[in-house]
Amino acid sequence: METTLREMTLAYREIRGHTEKLVSNLNTEDFMVQAATHVSPTKWHLAHTTWFFEKFILEAYQSGYRHFNNEFNYLFNSYYETVGEPYPQSQRGAITRPTVAETLSYRKYVDEQLLDLLEKVEGKDAEKINQLVEIGLHHEQQHQELILMDVKYNFSFNPLYPAFQERKDQPSSEAPELHFHDIEGGLVEVGHDGNGFAFDNEGPRHKTYLERYRLANRPVTNGEFLEFMNDNGYQTSHYWLSDGWQKVNEEKWSHPQYWVKQDGEWYIFTLAGLKKLDLHAPVVHVSFYEADAYARWAGKRLPTEQEWEYAMEDQEIEGNFMENGSYHPNAYYDGGMFDKAFGETWEWTQSPYVPYPRNKPLDGSLGEYNAKFMANQMVLKGGSCVTPRSHTRLTYRNFFYPDMKWQFSGFRLADNG
Amino acid sequence: METTLREMTLAYREIRGHTEKLVSNLNTEDFMVQAATHVSPTKWHLAHTTWFFEKFILEAYQSGYRHFNNEFNYLFNSYYETVGEPYPQSQRGAITRPTVAETLSYRKYVDEQLLDLLEKVEGKDAEKINQLVEIGLHHEQQHQELILMDVKYNFSFNPLYPAFQERKDQPSSEAPELHFHDIEGGLVEVGHDGNGFAFDNEGPRHKTYLERYRLANRPVTNGEFLEFMNDNGYQTSHYWLSDGWQKVNEEKWSHPQYWVKQDGEWYIFTLAGLKKLDLHAPVVHVSFYEADAYARWAGKRLPTEQEWEYAMEDQEIEGNFMENGSYHPNAYYDGGMFDKAFGETWEWTQSPYVPYPRNKPLDGSLGEYNAKFMANQMVLKGGSCVTPRSHTRLTYRNFFYPDMKWQFSGFRLADNG
Amino acid sequence: METTLREMTLAYREIRGHTEKLVSNLNTEDFMVQAATHVSPTKWHLAHTTWFFEKFILEAYQSGYRHFNNEFNYLFNSYYETVGEPYPQSQRGAITRPTVAETLSYRKYVDEQLLDLLEKVEGKDAEKINQLVEIGLHHEQQHQELILMDVKYNFSFNPLYPAFQERKDQPSSEAPELHFHDIEGGLVEVGHDGNGFAFDNEGPRHKTYLERYRLANRPVTNGEFLEFMNDNGYQTSHYWLSDGWQKVNEEKWSHPQYWVKQDGEWYIFTLAGLKKLDLHAPVVHVSFYEADAYARWAGKRLPTEQEWEYAMEDQEIEGNFMENGSYHPNAYYDGGMFDKAFGETWEWTQSPYVPYPRNKPLDGSLGEYNAKFMANQMVLKGGSCVTPRSHTRLTYRNFFYPDMKWQFSGFRLADNG
Amino acid sequence: METTLREMTLAYREIRGHTEKLVSNLNTEDFMVQAATHVSPTKWHLAHTTWFFEKFILEAYQSGYRHFNNEFNYLFNSYYETVGEPYPQSQRGAITRPTVAETLSYRKYVDEQLLDLLEKVEGKDAEKINQLVEIGLHHEQQHQELILMDVKYNFSFNPLYPAFQERKDQPSSEAPELHFHDIEGGLVEVGHDGNGFAFDNEGPRHKTYLERYRLANRPVTNGEFLEFMNDNGYQTSHYWLSDGWQKVNEEKWSHPQYWVKQDGEWYIFTLAGLKKLDLHAPVVHVSFYEADAYARWAGKRLPTEQEWEYAMEDQEIEGNFMENGSYHPNAYYDGGMFDKAFGETWEWTQSPYVPYPRNKPLDGSLGEYNAKFMANQMVLKGGSCVTPRSHTRLTYRNFFYPDMKWQFSGFRLADNG
């Protein structure tokens, strides 16, 4: 076991506790809202992450385990078809009960049971349980990010522009001039090597051949994206993929999500309310289609996930993460080779989300975790200002549909060497 | 003035207070849910009825009136296009703020202002204000009914079958045998004569010619409706209007809304949770299409609104209303000529909702209250177990689209004399 | 028998022949198109009217009748659920076979069989067959009108503006000044009295009470409708029924169907191609919602169907009908009391299409002809420039959904006396 | 110039002529049908391929060129946004004019102009024109395949099961036992090297690294696919990608497209009408989702496009192609290493359709030909029984959305070595 049970117990307390800290300044009302099918109420996130531990660990390993409420298996299953039909995603906002208080009791109940199990388990089950708890905690962290994404989305429907928190001061500087670093390429290796935790979609580590390429020193900024907009970027078909152009027209896209123009000035809705747009900060809340169209307009392209991963191999995983508490990208640049490689904003790549060579999903129902989504989605790398620092990795493969914009997603340009 | 300002003040306190009493056993979570576009969150009902008094009375008559919050004019306008674009109905459930507590403060603020105005007003404004408050209170009562309808609808999406209240004991008896009373008809009068309050859609009183007809002594019961179901009523096209048959197939209708079959027994979801279906109680939560199809199956028809109104002229307005607190139709029959004419269940008629001859909507924005809905809807008469007793009248014209089922709607058969 | 079998034979030859004459200048390609679900390909009309005679007469009365093709019973059934599941309406344009030539052979085959039956039938069947043929011929005439409506609709999708025919010269004059005739009203009679042919929805003749009212001397003209448009009629919510306002916004209505603005001038697409709009001709191709909104703008209202019928009792059924061959309303006014009462354009009424008192649909499957459509549609009276003259009557009740515009529908104003 | 102008003239005559031969046994009616948005009427294919030569060659290079009809530029543009707004794809079936005869005249007119141009061109334009005609002819061949696919689709809506042609005898044998060939992999090259014609999406030739893998000797057969069906393949969620499972449920998939069960036997609708399913022939008309689900059920996977291309490098391009005239996969196996590598059926790969490294789309509007579709689609390799033999290549990258089934698409299994 790479992490002992004791360490896992500490991690469990810390990460589960952080989720509750995260939502501690929400009103009861805020826990309930689901403004669109693809987001979930905060209450649901609290319950679903708990269900995960109950379903995949307590049911199997805690002898004589009694469910907090038998119906929760149906209510809080997200998409695991193999453990029973899930409650319809579009109606998560209609679940009035359990109340928020009852949901917190449910968390407490499962936490006690889980910690009890961790304390007493030994022998052959110990390793398996340790692995499952580790997955459960990474799952919990994903939902920490989702809670922040979804609260932002839900709040954005309110013309009162409610603030989730007060604005924290952020470090700031001018964005350094854009330039590109040459990378030799060749037959390289990417993917997770199995040492330490990784999701099943990150491995195995494998060879891949890269042509020589160049990668930008930093992500595209709000100011740069504004130039694209002012140059009729959203009105010019030939910058766009066909499916993207259809979205532009159907949904009348004309700017990144959450941008608001008031009296000739651009603002952006943040978790601290409506704020003036910082032209030096990385652009976020753009879809893959918008990132790709911008790149075409700029005469560049997006990197592949392999190009991104190989280039960033030596970058430290530090930057503006969830723990920072600002929940918004800042305009501080440290002048490193690849500024903001991690944290700040997820970066779209041009790589569809498909299995790596010889990839093998987890056995059983947890095989549904990642594998079944390997169609029609695109890979993003790096991590954002709402991602827990310990949750991301060089090999992490985040994925979203190419028209989605509510996640903290920006991009970095590449071209051929 | 038919009601003095003093009486109006009392009515205001009583009716506004009743709304708050009605929702007093809801959890904060319950106030937030909107499970479909055609229902609204309870919080929204509380705010919208308050906005009504603010918009149509305080803004116009309270000198120097300061709004509680300027954005509420947009947020809580339902459908009055002439006073500014309303917030989209489908997103009422996404409004996290104001909170429930703030909404109650908003109510308190407007109540104080309104009562202050009622106390000090005199001269020519008094009569106008009195009329507007009267409309506002009837509007409030409509939303009391809507709150109960919508809470039931929203709760029904929860597999835990939460109960809004404990079940109250209800009087009960066997449904008397169905028979039909002959009514002579001729050149009769219907509609409101202008004495006392009525909505603008109820008048003027006017002549109409009725052929001889017969009207049933009581509404159709659950037991009778079950016979229709068991006789393949939902599978036989020729009982159905074409638009209804399309709904049956598209939405896979096979029983009234809220009916649930468990282990071969029929139950119904009520505001007191899931209960065994009482075969002697009137059927409710059927659409016009279902009522019409049943009538065709039974070799009968629905009455017109004029036939219903003329026949019920001498019936007293008493029965199972909201004040009764059961919020569910009971199986008690008093053996009167037209059992359950008022209260218990709204009764579908075969009359489309169109203006009466020489009908004139209210002036100004309140003309939007009723008139603009006079297309594609059907008239219901009588009042239901969630209708305030003082809110209904012989001439009251309720209206819903013919495919709607979440209201407490049943029907009574008629035929030609 | 009101019409002898010999007369019926002549009528059969004449009306069936007219259908074929009507389509004689279409190309094979033109027969195939179905540009939207609510219209049908001409080929389908030719086959369906033939199926009607086969299904309801030959199958029942021609002994040893052999079908031309057994599959046609499925392919060419429109909506008679009681004689088998109909082929989906939306896919009528996908039926490549039978070809047009085979369809004409099908017509010829059925015509020969039917004429043979008419020649030899005697005894008790004769009257029944006579009635059924009469219905079949009125059905054929309805489809003559539909063919012209649908060809116009289908052709309108072609930017080449193809012409179904050359433009015929039309008589023309200035529209007389609008004025209103007083009508006393009282307890009057409307509906068909059973003498001569009528559809089952027109009777029985019955008493109805009319308040005093006034009816316009002529329909509203294109020029008048243009004033409504120029006065922001399509942009002003309070002229519109709520459901109509939704359509205006969803489908971006800003003028009657087929109107085209080129270089600042209004044109209208007609069956003779694109023509300059004649401001004195009656407006056509407006929906009920548009007619109703115009009336509200003008401070008037639409008449009820009873008001219309009673007022027109003494008008002769003459005017611009299908036989005239212009297939477009003209601007000729004869200065009569109610100019253009019949022919020219169907006139929307404010009456929903519901059964008359004591109305009884036909027995059997033909009971589906009219009765099952009695929901959500509005009655139109009079007949249009594409209606066969012998097909319309004072008591005729045409009906369309309130948002439909492809029929030749205009309106005449009324108000209270 | 790789092909001289003389050779190009011959190729032009031959390929354009073949298109007309292909449709020579269609009735005029058959040319008109568009049963769904993603298919086109045959008439439109005839006109659009002609427009392609007119737009991209004659307009630019034939001096004083006069258009056959100026409106055709709008009517017959498929999706080239940069040369003007295209006519809506969903309404191609509504274009009654030009007629089929006029469309053939349009073809003749453009053919004469084009051949005239080919005869007289010289100097620097010659090479460019030669290249454009070559693309135009490959484009024409793609539409030959589309005509056959679309006629089949359109005919399938007719319960009469019309036949496009008589059934040709097909060679037949038992499918050889399934086995897998080991392939070493390593750093290999794929993609087009620029010698001879290729689409812009096929190059440049580039290195890619393949792990050792195994590829099946032949495609999956109808009989094998039936086993998947009989083993509840369509009812078992864990074989399916999430997006695929949604399609299965929404569209109620339970078998490949065109399969029909009659009296307990499986038939398939072919261009020769309804035929008994040959269990030894390759399965066709399955979507990517179905191919992928089958592979998971079988414990295998689909190959990547690189694996497929590398393995097939030495296979001859021969087999059952369009020229064979059977338009349906046969059950003849020659016992080669990779039976049916080309022809018979396109084979789904697990590779999303994305640009190759350093890929560069064509300049100008023809850059829209392929590049803008590089999102959400999957690559297929090989060619089918309706693909012209000279049109396909080892490096050819066909692409369809993963839910599409109307193309002749099957699959071949792979696994890890």
Side-chain angles (χ1 to χ4, degrees), chain B residues 11-27:
Chain B
Y12 185 90
R13 287 186 194 280
E14 196 271 323
I15 291 171
R16 293 279 289 173
H18 194 94
T19 304
E20 282 154 35
K21 192 173 147 221
L22 210 53
V23 303
S24 59
N25 58 343
L26 289 176
N27 296 316

Side-chain angles (χ1 to χ4, degrees), chain A residues 91-232:
Chain A
Q91 293 168 10
R92 288 176 186 167
I95 310 172
T96 56
R97 317 290 173 86
T99 62
V100 173
E102 287 161 354
T103 305
L104 291 171
S105 298
Y106 175 43
R107 287 182 71 90
K108 195 154 172 251
Y109 177 82
V110 164
D111 285 352
E112 284 166 4
Q113 293 280 330
L114 204 288
L115 291 167
D116 174 68
L117 176 64
L118 281 178
E119 195 157 332
K120 73 187 186 204
V121 71
E122 51 188 26
K124 67 178 171 50
D125 283 349
E127 186 171 1
K128 182 66 187 161
I129 288 170
N130 212 42
Q131 284 169 0
L132 288 170
V133 173
E134 194 168 30
I135 291 178
L137 292 177
H138 279 276
H139 177 255
E140 183 93 16
Q141 288 183 310
Q142 288 182 315
H143 282 273
Q144 288 170 357
E145 177 157 359
L146 282 166
I147 284 169
L148 291 166
M149 285 160 59
D150 291 0
V151 164
K152 183 170 182 176
Y153 185 84
N154 289 329
F155 277 24
S156 76
F157 281 76
N158 194 325
L160 303 174
Y161 294 121
F164 171 74
Q165 64 169 5
E166 292 302 299
R167 175 100 167 157
K168 291 194 53 161
D169 278 345
Q170 292 194 274
S172 169
S173 66
E174 283 216 355
E177 205 171 341
L178 186 71
H179 60 271
F180 290 81
H181 295 292
D182 258 291
I183 299 166
E184 177 68 33
L187 192 60
V188 308
E189 288 200 350
V190 296
H192 197 267
D193 64 6
N195 292 314
F197 177 80
F199 283 116
D200 58 1
N201 61 8
E202 298 174 47
R205 191 155 180 86
H206 61 281
K207 290 198 182 69
T208 192
Y209 184 79
L210 300 180
E211 311 256 339
R212 173 191 288 272
Y213 65 106
R214 304 196 315 157
L215 189 62
N217 60 321
R218 58 160 175 79
V220 168
T221 63
N222 288 320
E224 288 164 339
F225 200 84
L226 205 48
E227 287 177 52
F228 167 70
M229 287 164 57
N230 292 338
D231 195 29
N232 291 316

Side-chain angles (χ1 to χ4, degrees), chain A residues 81-82 187 206-207 209 211-212 237-238 241-243 245 289 352 354 358 371-373 375-376 401-402 416-417, chain D residues 81 187 206-207 209 211-212 237-238 241-243 245 289 352 354 358 371-373 375-376 401-402 416-417:
Chain A
E81 305 268 354
T82 47
L187 192 60
H206 61 281
K207 290 198 182 69
Y209 184 79
E211 311 256 339
R212 173 191 288 272
S237 69
H238 68 263
L241 286 162
S242 180
D243 289 353
W245 185 241
Y289 293 131
V354 291
R358 297 173 187 274
K372 74 179 182 183
F373 300 109
N376 307 313
Y401 287 101
N416 300 330
Chain D
E81 306 267 354
L187 192 60
H206 61 281
K207 292 198 180 69
Y209 184 80
E211 312 256 340
R212 174 191 286 271
S237 69
H238 69 262
L241 286 162
S242 181
D243 289 353
W245 186 240
Y289 293 131
V354 291
R358 297 172 188 273
K372 73 179 182 184
F373 300 108
N376 306 314
Y401 287 100
N416 301 330

Side-chain angles (χ1 to χ4, degrees), chain B residues 73-327:
Chain B
N73 187 39
Y74 168 62
L75 273 176
F76 299 122
N77 176 4
S78 52
Y79 55 66
Y80 294 85
E81 305 268 354
T82 48
V83 300
E85 191 192 8
Y87 183 85
Q89 187 177 354
S90 61
Q91 294 167 9
R92 287 176 187 165
I95 309 173
T96 56
R97 318 291 173 85
T99 62
V100 173
E102 286 161 354
T103 305
L104 291 171
S105 299
Y106 175 42
R107 287 182 70 90
K108 194 151 172 253
Y109 176 81
V110 165
D111 285 352
E112 284 166 3
Q113 293 279 330
L114 204 288
L115 290 167
D116 174 66
L117 176 64
L118 280 179
E119 192 157 333
K120 73 187 185 204
V121 71
E122 50 187 29
K124 67 179 171 49
D125 282 351
E127 185 172 0
K128 182 66 187 161
I129 288 170
N130 212 42
Q131 283 170 1
L132 288 170
V133 174
E134 194 168 29
I135 291 178
L137 291 177
H138 280 276
H139 178 254
E140 184 93 16
Q141 288 183 310
Q142 287 182 317
H143 282 272
Q144 289 170 356
E145 176 157 1
L146 281 165
I147 285 169
L148 292 165
M149 285 159 59
D150 291 1
V151 164
K152 182 169 182 176
Y153 186 85
N154 289 329
F155 277 25
S156 75
F157 281 75
N158 195 324
L160 304 174
Y161 295 119
F164 171 76
Q165 65 170 5
E166 293 301 301
R167 175 103 167 154
K168 290 194 53 161
D169 277 345
Q170 292 193 275
S172 170
S173 66
E174 282 216 356
E177 205 173 341
L178 184 72
H179 60 270
F180 289 82
H181 295 292
D182 257 291
I183 299 166
E184 176 70 31
L187 192 60
V188 308
E189 290 199 349
V190 295
H192 197 267
D193 63 7
N195 293 314
F197 177 81
F199 283 117
D200 58 0
N201 61 8
E202 298 175 46
R205 190 155 180 86
H206 61 281
K207 290 198 181 69
T208 193
Y209 184 80
L210 302 181
E211 312 256 339
R212 174 191 287 271
Y213 65 106
R214 304 197 313 157
L215 190 62
N217 60 320
R218 58 159 176 80
V220 168
T221 64
N222 288 320
E224 287 164 338
F225 201 84
L226 204 49
E227 288 177 50
F228 167 71
M229 286 164 58
N230 292 339
D231 194 29
N232 291 317
Y234 281 97
Q235 289 78 44
T236 308
S237 68
H238 68 262
Y239 301 139
W240 296 82
L241 285 162
S242 180
D243 289 353
W245 185 240
Q246 200 177 324
K247 283 281 170 190
V248 167
N249 288 286
E250 275 174 12
E251 305 186 358
K252 309 207 184 312
W253 288 357
S254 61
H255 54 71
Q257 193 151 346
Y258 301 132
W259 285 31
V260 176
K261 201 169 195 174
Q262 289 188 344
D263 304 324
E265 291 267 21
W266 282 106
Y267 292 79
I268 183 167
F269 179 64
T270 76
L271 281 161
L274 202 64
K275 298 293 172 186
K276 214 174 147 191
L277 190 71
D278 186 333
L279 298 181
H280 290 286
V283 66
V284 277
H285 299 302
V286 291
S287 66
F288 168 78
Y289 294 131
E290 286 159 300
D292 179 79
Y294 178 96
R296 224 172 288 240
W297 168 80
K300 304 292 175 188
R301 61 172 176 84
L302 300 179
T304 65
E305 61 170 320
Q306 291 82 9
E307 288 172 337
W308 194 100
E309 182 173 329
Y310 179 65
M312 298 310 188
E313 220 167 36
D314 298 328
Q315 298 298 310
E316 286 200 44
I317 299 185
E318 61 182 22
N320 180 12
F321 284 107
M322 179 191 76
E323 290 79 356
N324 194 17
S326 76
Y327 309 144

Side-chain angles (χ1 to χ4, degrees), chain D residues 9-299:
Chain D
T9 298
L10 290 173
Y12 185 90
R13 286 185 195 280
E14 196 272 324
I15 291 172
R16 292 279 289 172
H18 195 94
T19 303
E20 283 155 34
K21 193 172 147 222
L22 211 52
V23 303
S24 60
N25 59 343
L26 288 177
N27 296 316
T28 303
E29 290 85 345
D30 301 332
F31 282 87
M32 295 297 297
V33 174
Q34 178 182 33
T37 294
H38 69 285
V39 302
S40 296
T42 305
K43 190 182 77 175
W44 186 90
H45 287 297
L46 295 186
H48 164 69
T49 49
T50 305
W51 168 90
F52 191 97
F53 288 106
E54 184 178 61
K55 185 76 202 169
F56 296 116
I57 304 177
L58 293 176
E59 275 193 17
Y61 295 99
Q62 178 77 319
S63 71
Y65 178 70
R66 295 172 57 113
H67 289 78
F68 184 79
N69 185 320
N70 287 319
E71 294 284 351
F72 288 9
N73 187 38
Y74 168 61
L75 273 177
F76 299 121
N77 177 3
S78 51
Y79 55 68
Y80 294 85
E81 306 267 354
T82 47
V83 300
E85 190 192 9
Y87 182 84
Q89 188 177 356
S90 62
Q91 293 168 9
R92 288 177 185 165
I95 309 174
T96 56
R97 317 290 172 87
T99 61
V100 173
E102 287 161 354
T103 304
L104 292 171
S105 298
Y106 174 43
R107 288 181 72 89
K108 194 154 173 250
Y109 176 83
V110 165
D111 285 352
E112 283 166 3
Q113 294 279 328
L114 205 287
L115 291 168
D116 174 67
L117 175 66
L118 282 178
E119 194 158 333
K120 75 189 186 202
V121 71
E122 51 187 27
K124 66 178 173 51
D125 283 351
E127 187 172 358
K128 183 65 186 162
I129 288 170
N130 212 44
Q131 283 170 1
L132 288 170
V133 174
E134 194 169 29
I135 291 178
L137 292 177
H138 279 275
H139 177 255
E140 183 93 17
Q141 288 183 311
Q142 288 182 317
H143 282 273
Q144 288 170 358
E145 178 157 359
L146 282 165
I147 284 169
L148 292 165
M149 285 159 59
D150 292 359
V151 164
K152 183 170 181 175
Y153 185 84
N154 289 327
F155 277 24
S156 75
F157 281 76
N158 194 324
L160 304 173
Y161 294 120
F164 170 75
Q165 63 169 6
E166 294 301 299
R167 176 95 165 163
K168 289 192 57 161
D169 277 346
Q170 292 193 276
S172 170
S173 66
E174 282 215 357
E177 205 172 341
L178 185 71
H179 60 271
F180 289 81
H181 295 291
D182 257 291
I183 299 166
E184 177 70 33
L187 192 60
V188 308
E189 290 200 349
V190 295
H192 197 267
D193 63 7
N195 293 314
F197 177 81
F199 282 116
D200 58 1
N201 61 7
E202 297 174 46
R205 190 154 179 86
H206 61 281
K207 292 198 180 69
T208 192
Y209 184 80
L210 302 181
E211 312 256 340
R212 174 191 286 271
Y213 64 107
R214 304 197 312 157
L215 189 63
N217 59 321
R218 58 160 175 79
V220 168
T221 63
N222 288 320
E224 287 164 340
F225 200 85
L226 204 50
E227 287 177 51
F228 167 71
M229 286 164 56
N230 292 338
D231 195 27
N232 290 317
Y234 281 97
Q235 289 78 44
T236 308
S237 69
H238 69 262
Y239 302 139
W240 296 83
L241 286 162
S242 181
D243 289 353
W245 186 240
Q246 199 177 324
K247 283 280 170 192
V248 167
N249 287 287
E250 275 174 12
E251 305 187 357
K252 308 202 183 317
W253 289 356
S254 63
H255 54 71
Q257 192 151 348
Y258 301 131
W259 286 31
V260 176
K261 201 168 196 173
Q262 290 187 343
D263 303 324
E265 292 267 20
W266 281 107
Y267 292 79
I268 183 167
F269 179 66
T270 76
L271 280 161
L274 201 65
K275 299 290 173 189
K276 215 175 145 188
L277 191 71
D278 185 334
L279 298 181
H280 289 287
V283 66
V284 277
H285 300 302
V286 292
S287 66
F288 168 78
Y289 293 131
E290 287 159 298
D292 179 79
Y294 178 95
R296 222 171 289 238
W297 168 80

Side-chain angles (χ1 to χ4, degrees), chain C residues 85-138:
Chain C
E85 190 191 9
Y87 183 84
Q89 187 177 356
S90 62
Q91 293 168 8
R92 289 175 185 167
I95 310 172
T96 56
R97 317 291 172 87
T99 61
V100 173
E102 286 162 355
T103 304
L104 291 171
S105 298
Y106 175 42
R107 287 182 72 89
K108 194 152 172 254
Y109 177 82
V110 164
D111 285 351
E112 284 166 3
Q113 294 279 329
L114 204 287
L115 290 168
D116 174 67
L117 176 65
L118 281 179
E119 195 159 331
K120 75 186 184 203
V121 71
E122 51 187 27
K124 67 179 171 52
D125 282 351
E127 186 173 0
K128 184 64 187 161
I129 288 170
N130 212 44
Q131 283 169 0
L132 289 170
V133 173
E134 193 168 31
I135 291 177
L137 291 178
H138 279 275

